[in-house]
Amino acid sequence: MKIDLKAPAKINLSLDALYKREDGYHEVEMVMTTIDLADRLELELISSDEIILDVRAHFIPNDHRNLVYQAALLLKEKYNVRMGARITLDKQIPVSAGLAGGSTDAAAALKGLNELWKLGLSLEELAELSARIGSDIAFCLYGGTAFATGRGEVIQKLPMMPSCWIILAKPSISISTPSVYKELKLDEVEHPDTKRMLAGIEAGDLDAICDSMGNVLESVTLEKNPKVKQLKQKMLEFGADAAMMSGSGPTVFAIVKQYSRAKRVYNGLRGFCSEVYMVRPWNDEGINK
Ligand code: C5P
């Protein structure tokens, strides 16, 4: 038996951190949406009782350092599974980019293994389990557009993102999420208007969504990395309706309504950055269910 799954990347339409909690995490309010830039996973039952991870990309570990491996092991141990699996991971999403690439792979692995090993777990059960290995995996399990609270693992589904073009630019800089959160000065940042963002999504109003985008982590990553700031400015100069950094960065994205203008932003950015993508929101929410 073989299962093929797509694992889409996400962008943050807003990211607010409210306060630092006693467990060291930040209490957050995030509006996120999946985009049609996706990794592909193939899962296959094997005769031996082990997890074999085969990664089709350079410099990505295939052992316990990979969230896919951790997810498979977690499911196997928790439900005492006496079967194995070979998981082939074909990476398309940039790594350490603020696009939840590792988390979406782990989410797809949980869904696929639930089916392969016939565990019959609900999405809610998988989401609860996933929080043990990462805050963003729960969102990736649901996909579409959602409001994430808690440390990011409490998910409330929202209506689909209105149709638009999304241009992503990933500078070749490595960002450590824990250090960005560590340097965040909550009393100095401008907090996004999350209520307005939620109302914009509910109304399917792209102008309101563009106007209420905000990410508190920009205050750290943009200030320390002028290249990221420059890419955001260029997006706006080339005609983006809105531009912002996703997650802790370094990827920045532009939202553009019109195709011709989106093409202009895409072509213009390619002169400044080697990794540029033009995608759409991922609204096919049924694909991995
Ligand atoms: O949950 P995850 O492993 O993805 O988080 C990575 C790191 O980001 C955490 O160890 C923490 O330093 C920081 N973080 C945080 N508050 C959150 C999510 C992540 O401070 N809500």
Side-chain angles (χ1 to χ4, degrees):
M1 188 183 176
K2 254 190 194 175
I3 295 172
D4 252 317
L5 288 174
K6 270 185 160 186
K10 63 89 183 156
I11 51 170
N12 287 84
L13 295 171
S14 70
L15 193 166
D16 196 11
L18 307 180
Y19 56 89
K20 192 162 180 194
R21 315 187 328 182
E22 282 186 359
D23 62 6
Y25 285 92
H26 288 75
E27 187 72 17
V28 292
E29 285 187 341
M30 305 189 285
V31 177
M32 303 196 269
T33 195
T34 38
I35 56 175
D36 71 354
L37 171 65
D39 292 340
R40 188 173 276 279
L41 279 85
E42 190 184 272
L43 300 97
E44 190 182 2
L45 267 185
I46 52 173
S47 51
S48 55
D49 181 9
E50 61 183 327
I51 307 291
I52 302 172
L53 177 58
D54 181 10
V55 187
R56 302 262 161 89
H58 295 299
F59 311 116
I60 296 180
N62 64 352
D63 53 21
H64 63 276
R65 289 167 294 171
N66 193 307
L67 278 178
V68 168
Y69 194 89
Q70 290 177 31
L73 216 57
L74 183 63
L75 210 55
K76 193 163 161 41
E77 282 171 5
K78 165 104 180 168
Y79 295 97
N80 206 13
V81 176
R82 297 283 161 80
M83 287 174 276
R86 177 190 297 279
I87 306 172
T88 309
L89 171 58
D90 180 7
K91 286 295 298 176
Q92 301 296 327
I93 305 170
V95 179
S96 297
L99 300 172
S103 299
T104 192
D105 295 341
L110 288 173
K111 274 186 191 168
L113 291 172
N114 185 33
E115 208 179 316
L116 199 69
W117 291 337
K118 301 196 175 7
L119 297 174
L121 300 166
S122 66
L123 215 48
E124 290 72 23
E125 284 171 307
L126 291 177
E128 197 184 323
L129 192 66
S130 76
R132 292 196 203 172
I133 52 172
S135 309
D136 282 344
I137 304 174
F139 165 76
C140 296
L141 281 161
Y142 289 95
T145 306
F147 183 41
T149 54
R151 62 180 171 94
E153 87 289 19
V154 182
I155 306 299
Q156 194 183 317
K157 290 283 288 177
L158 296 172
M160 293 190 315
M161 173 78 179
S163 175
C164 63
W165 294 97
I166 299 162
I167 292 96
L168 306 155
K170 152 77 175 59
S172 48
I173 301 168
S174 262
I175 300 285
S176 148
T177 304
S179 59
V180 172
Y181 270 107
K182 207 168 159 200
E183 286 172 47
L184 181 64
K185 296 195 175 62
L186 279 177
D187 43 351
E188 291 174 17
V189 295
E190 195 183 323
H191 293 273
D193 188 346
T194 306
K195 280 206 179 76
R196 190 153 169 244
M197 171 61 75
L198 291 171
I201 299 273
E202 289 292 343
D205 180 347
L206 196 60
D207 290 328
I209 293 170
C210 287
D211 286 349
S212 46
M213 276 170 32
N215 177 352
V216 290
L217 302 183
E218 280 191 342
S219 64
V220 180
T221 308
L222 257 58
E223 290 321 306
K224 293 186 82 172
N225 300 281
K227 179 78 188 170
V228 183
K229 199 173 184 172
Q230 182 207 30
L231 287 173
K232 182 178 167 179
Q233 275 160 357
K234 288 283 167 208
M235 285 177 167
L236 295 169
E237 277 168 37
F238 289 133
D241 293 301
M244 196 177 83
M245 184 179 83
S246 184
S248 55
T251 303
V252 277
F253 67 92
I255 303 269
V256 191
K257 276 187 260 181
Q258 268 177 11
Y259 176 76
S260 55
R261 200 127 53 87
K263 264 302 210 202
R264 197 168 79 210
V265 175
Y266 173 76
N267 288 331
L269 278 164
R270 291 207 300 170
F272 293 93
C273 181
S274 58
E275 266 189 276
V276 185
Y277 307 83
M278 182 163 152
V279 301
R280 283 189 161 280
W282 174 289
N283 280 330
D284 186 0
E285 296 178 29
I287 198 146
N288 280 346
K289 290 204 177 137

